[in-house]
């Protein structure tokens, strides 16, 4: 990954390392005292902190998926109950797996072992696998081989079933000792040809930084820790030095290196960086400023939205726009953004309006309606999003007609281009078409978010629009939006099965196939329609929906496709009890 390459470059340039030799840092159960254990975020924190070897715990779910989990039961580490081995993976994947360690970590999930292997390979770290349950070793070994990680893992725990297949350990054998090991004892082990690892996990010395330093000074080849930042300090690769070097890169020089350094820094959890991000947010380089805004939003814990106050008052349009985006992402109060609606810069207006669609509070419609007709089309689409969020009733009345006008203008543009023989479009023409396309997409999303018949009719109008003009993608997206709504009024879609336009008929067929069961009666009625094209498509719909209620009708039909459909329905239901 690009971020880790930056880190490795920075670490190599750090000159504060006190050690002339490399001492391996072993991290027990990922960075478990800094970030919720056995998550990808904790694995990343361990890697960024300089851990050479990271221990993880591996278990297998009831349906055979390997995951990272220490306890087996899930009460401590998730918001659910039960045991890993008697739970389905999809059940576990829905659970909150970070908030047990505090609200700042909410949104994390249980990790598949395959993903942990992929991460370790990409980041160049070695793993110790604590196999928690007997009989799972073969599956774990197979996963290791698929990831080409056999030479970068070590197995521990319940491995009797695969002991004779485990990779042979290369290099000197390890001897693990306690923190009170003396230099003389370590030297004696070295003379016996052993590498010495001093353990600082689960022994009342987890935070004994002085003893960690002493172990390194006494000649230990590695230390095993729970507190990775303490361990990194002891082995002479302090996290603070790495962060300082990244911060220097972020502050000046090549724009690409700056934004990549800023993008990496929020992943150093627990290091005070909020003010640095707020400073970089004010940078005149738009990309650097945006990277800082993203960093403020993705850091844990998240800052107060008012960290963006100064940037919102900036005279730089990009800084203001990036700050507006940040307020929206943090769900700050809409009152922070309303002053930006008076801006003359379309960049600021667009980001402020999109952000307003995410923020709580009341924004009067009269402040948004004029922006639906702004000369910059991107602003129009963003204004539709904000109006739908803050005044849905007004949006129901206004937005369908506004989108209809947009589409009419686009069709006129397409017709004029066609009359000219469809010559190669100029850059200006491409930009105009693209700008209107982007605006129409935001309008369509806004309409899709609204409940009620006007928005449903507006979506149908776009979905069933024929032709291969500049609005064809709009029609496709409108069709997707109807999957979850067409059951409220399926008759129009059924009629469109007989459309002479194949694209329209295809969209109608697939939305009825993907809709909920309420469309069933309307589709089954279509099996008796006088139009053979509608019957043919209805046959396919009931087949792919596995609609057993249609079997009687299918058996009485003459179309050969009806036999295929009946067989398909029987296949789908064959395994049911």
């Amino acid at each position: 990954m690009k971020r880790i390459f930056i880190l490795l470059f920075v670490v190599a340039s750090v000159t504060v390392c006190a050690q002339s030799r490399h001492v391996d840092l072993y991290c027990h159960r990922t960075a478990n005292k800094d970030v919720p254990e056995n998550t990808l975020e904790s694995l990343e924190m361990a890697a960024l902190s300089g851990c050479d070897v990271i221990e993880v715990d591996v278990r297998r779910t009831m349906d055979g998926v390997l995951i990272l989990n220490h306890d087996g039961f899930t009460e401590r580490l998730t918001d659910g109950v039960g045991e890993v081995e008697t739970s389905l993976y999809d059940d576990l994947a829905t659970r909150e797996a970070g908030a047990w360690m505090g609200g700042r970590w909410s949104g994390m999930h249980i990790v598949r072992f395959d993903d942990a292997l992929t991460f370790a390979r990409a980041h160049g770290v070695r793993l110790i696998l604590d196999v928690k349950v007997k009989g799972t070793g073969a599956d774990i070994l197979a996963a290791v081989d698929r990831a080409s990680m056999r030479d970068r893992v070590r197995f521990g725990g319940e491995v009797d079933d695969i002991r004779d297949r485990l990779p042979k350990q290369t290099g000197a054998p390890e001897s693990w000792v306690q923190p009170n090991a003396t230099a003389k004892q370590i030297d004696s082990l070295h003379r016996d040809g052993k590498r010495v690892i001093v353990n600082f996990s689960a022994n009342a010395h987890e935070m004994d930084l002085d003893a960690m330093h002493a172990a390194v000074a006494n000649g230990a080849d590695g230390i095993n820790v729970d507190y990775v930042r303490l361990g990194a300090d002891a082995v002479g690769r302090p996290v603070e030095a790495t962060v300082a070097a990244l911060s220097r890169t972020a502050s000046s020089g090549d724009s690409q290196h700056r934004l990549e350094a800023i993008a990496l820094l929020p992943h150093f959890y627990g290091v005070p960086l909020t003010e640095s991000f707020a400073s970089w947010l004010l940078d005149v380089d738009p990309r650097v400023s945006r990277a800082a805004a993203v960093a403020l939003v993705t850091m844990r814990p998240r800052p107060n939205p008012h960290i963006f106050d100064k940037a919102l008052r900036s005279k730089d349009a990009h800084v203001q726009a990036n700050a507006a985006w940040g307020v929206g992402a943090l769900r700050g109060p809409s009152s922070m953004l309303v002053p930006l609606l008076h801006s003359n810069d379309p960049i600021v207006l667009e980001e402020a309006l999109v952000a307003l669609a995410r923020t709580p509070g009341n924004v009067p419609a009269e402040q948004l309606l004029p922006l639906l007709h702004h000369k910059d089309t991107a602003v129009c689409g963003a204004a539709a999003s904000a109006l739908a969020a803050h005044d849905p009733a007004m949006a129901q009345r206004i937005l369908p007609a506004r989108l209809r006008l947009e589409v009419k203008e686009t069709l006129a543009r397409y017709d004029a281009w066609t009359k000219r023989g469809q010559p190669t479009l100029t850059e200006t023409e491409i930009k105009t078409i693209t700008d209107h396309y982007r605006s129409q997409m935001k309008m369509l999303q806004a309409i899709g978010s609204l409940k009620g018949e006007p928005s449903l009719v507006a979506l149908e109008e776009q979905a069933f629009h024929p032709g291969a003009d500049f609005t064809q993608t709009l029609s496709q997206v409108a069709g997707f939006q109807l999957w979850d709504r067409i059951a409220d009024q399926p008759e129009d879609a059924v009629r469109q099965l007989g459309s002479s336009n194949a694209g329209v008929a295809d969209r109608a067929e697939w939305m009825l196939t993907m809709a909920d069961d309420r469309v069933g009666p309307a589709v089954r009625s279509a099996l008796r329609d006088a139009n053979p094209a509608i019957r043919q498509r209805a046959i396919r719909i009931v087949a792919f929906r596995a609609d057993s209620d249609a079997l009687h009708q299918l058996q009485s039909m003459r179309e050969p496709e009806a036999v295929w459909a009946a067989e398909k329905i029987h296949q789908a239901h064959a395994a049911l009890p």
Side-chain angles (χ1 to χ4, degrees):
M1 292 182 181
K2 186 178 293 184
R3 289 201 302 266
I4 203 68
F5 292 144
I6 300 172
L7 175 63
L8 292 174
F9 171 81
V10 172
V11 170
S13 68
V14 173
T15 59
V16 297
C17 292
Q19 311 301 327
S20 59
R21 63 190 179 90
H22 184 89
V23 180
D24 280 341
L25 183 58
Y26 289 64
C27 296
H28 170 247
R29 208 181 302 170
T30 62
N32 73 88
K33 299 299 184 185
D34 292 87
V35 185
E37 65 189 57
N38 282 318
T39 60
L40 278 181
E41 291 85 354
S42 193
L43 192 61
E44 181 184 46
M45 179 66 178
L48 293 178
S49 300
C51 295
D52 302 281
V53 184
I54 305 172
E55 187 250 12
V56 297
D57 305 288
V58 189
R59 291 181 177 273
R60 186 173 63 194
T61 66
M62 183 167 62
D63 51 335
V65 179
L66 298 171
I67 66 166
L68 303 191
N69 176 271
H70 176 270
D71 294 3
F73 46 81
T74 61
E75 280 78 357
R76 176 173 72 96
L77 300 172
T78 78
D79 58 352
V81 298
E83 298 182 4
V84 168
E85 283 72 25
T86 57
S87 299
L88 296 169
Y89 169 73
D90 284 347
D91 172 1
L92 297 174
T94 64
R95 301 187 187 183
E96 167 63 54
W100 67 271
M101 199 169 171
R104 70 177 64 181
W105 304 115
S106 62
M108 293 183 177
H109 298 282
I110 285 175
V111 178
R112 295 175 73 113
F113 179 51
D114 286 344
D115 293 334
L117 288 169
T118 299
F119 179 94
R121 183 174 179 80
H123 290 70
V125 295
R126 305 192 298 277
L127 298 177
I128 294 177
L129 310 179
D130 189 349
V131 180
K132 306 304 287 188
V133 180
K134 293 179 180 179
T136 59
D139 284 353
I140 295 172
L141 184 57
V144 168
D145 286 340
R146 286 195 302 271
S148 301
M149 281 285 288
R150 188 178 276 240
D151 61 339
R152 301 193 64 79
V153 302
R154 186 187 312 169
F155 283 77
E158 303 289 352
V159 294
D160 287 347
D161 59 327
I162 57 168
R163 194 172 298 280
D164 59 343
R165 298 167 53 197
L166 294 180
K168 304 300 180 185
Q169 182 175 333
T170 59
E174 290 181 355
S175 178
W176 285 51
V177 299
Q178 292 303 309
N180 59 0
T182 65
K184 183 176 180 180
Q185 291 169 326
I186 292 173
D187 185 58
S188 175
L189 290 167
H190 282 159
R191 287 196 301 272
D192 290 338
K194 297 179 179 179
R195 296 183 76 250
V196 180
I197 311 299
V198 182
N199 180 44
F200 290 90
S201 173
N203 58 8
H205 289 276
E206 292 90 346
M207 295 193 71
D208 195 341
L209 183 58
D210 289 341
M212 293 180 193
H213 278 285
V216 173
N218 287 339
D221 299 289
I223 59 174
N224 179 59
V225 301
D226 285 315
Y227 290 90
V228 295
R229 290 175 64 187
L230 274 65
D233 188 86
V235 300
R237 303 189 294 274
V239 170
E240 292 76 13
T242 302
V243 169
L246 277 171
S247 296
R248 289 192 294 272
T249 300
S251 296
S252 62
D254 176 76
S255 175
Q256 186 66 27
H257 290 159
R258 292 185 66 195
L259 71 89
E260 289 177 355
I262 293 171
L264 181 57
L265 281 166
H267 299 263
F268 288 86
Y269 304 113
V271 180
L273 287 165
T274 304
E275 293 305 320
S276 295
F277 294 141
S279 175
W280 293 321
L281 175 65
L282 302 174
D283 200 278
V284 294
D285 185 325
R287 301 202 306 161
V288 170
S289 173
R290 185 62 166 212
V294 173
L296 284 166
V297 167
T298 57
M299 67 184 300
R300 294 173 185 263
R302 287 183 166 187
N304 188 295
H306 286 285
I307 191 69
F308 291 102
D309 279 347
K310 185 175 181 179
L312 289 172
R313 298 191 299 270
S314 172
K315 295 181 180 180
D316 186 296
H318 288 285
V319 171
Q320 278 194 315
N322 291 330
W325 173 86
V327 172
L330 292 179
R331 305 299 191 265
S334 58
S335 58
M336 294 180 66
L337 300 169
V338 168
L340 298 183
L341 298 182
H342 301 290
S343 174
N344 293 320
D345 194 297
I347 295 174
V348 175
L349 283 172
E350 182 181 14
E351 287 286 14
L353 288 163
V354 172
L356 279 171
R358 301 176 173 179
T359 58
N362 295 317
V363 181
E366 54 265 27
Q367 291 189 278
L368 301 173
L369 289 173
L371 297 173
L372 284 173
H373 304 276
H374 195 273
K375 62 183 179 180
D376 189 289
T377 53
V379 173
C380 301
S385 298
L387 183 65
H390 289 277
D391 195 335
M394 178 67 74
Q396 284 273 25
R397 296 195 297 273
I398 298 296
L399 293 187
R402 186 67 186 86
L403 178 59
R404 195 175 297 118
L405 179 61
E406 266 281 327
V407 170
K408 182 178 179 180
E409 293 173 352
T410 299
L411 292 175
R413 200 173 293 112
Y414 179 83
D415 290 341
W417 176 62
T418 300
K419 289 177 181 178
R420 287 166 33 219
Q422 296 190 350
T424 301
L425 293 167
T426 66
E427 289 298 322
T428 300
E429 289 172 327
I430 291 173
K431 183 180 186 306
T432 298
I433 293 167
T434 302
D435 287 348
H436 281 274
Y437 166 85
R438 295 170 65 180
S439 176
Q440 290 162 17
M441 285 299 163
K442 298 312 293 182
M443 286 188 184
L444 189 68
Q445 289 174 10
I447 291 171
S449 71
L450 300 170
K451 307 302 180 185
E453 186 174 352
S455 60
L456 175 61
V457 171
L459 290 173
E460 289 181 340
E461 181 179 342
Q462 299 308 319
F464 300 141
H465 167 71
D469 52 58
F470 294 150
T471 65
Q472 59 181 311
T473 303
L474 187 72
S475 299
Q476 293 168 6
V477 175
F480 296 142
Q481 289 269 359
L482 285 168
W483 284 11
D484 296 325
R485 301 185 63 173
I486 198 62
D488 294 336
Q489 192 173 299
E491 292 76 19
D492 285 345
V494 169
R495 282 193 294 272
Q496 295 299 334
L497 294 175
S499 172
S500 59
N501 182 279
V504 170
D506 286 348
R507 283 193 289 278
E509 177 180 336
W510 205 244
M511 74 173 64
L512 289 167
T513 301
M514 301 300 289
D516 68 53
D517 289 343
R518 289 177 296 154
V519 302
V523 175
R524 290 192 291 274
S525 293
L527 292 172
R528 301 188 299 271
D529 197 277
N531 186 334
I534 291 179
R535 291 200 305 272
Q536 290 288 337
R537 289 183 179 271
I539 289 171
R540 286 202 297 266
I541 294 170
V542 297
F544 283 106
R545 290 181 61 84
D547 185 357
S548 59
D549 290 336
L551 283 172
H552 179 71
Q553 287 178 258
L554 291 171
Q555 290 165 359
S556 65
M557 296 180 73
R558 296 179 180 179
E559 286 86 350
E561 291 83 2
V563 175
W564 162 83
E567 291 177 350
K568 194 170 185 66
I569 294 170
H570 283 303
Q571 288 173 352
H573 289 274
L576 295 178

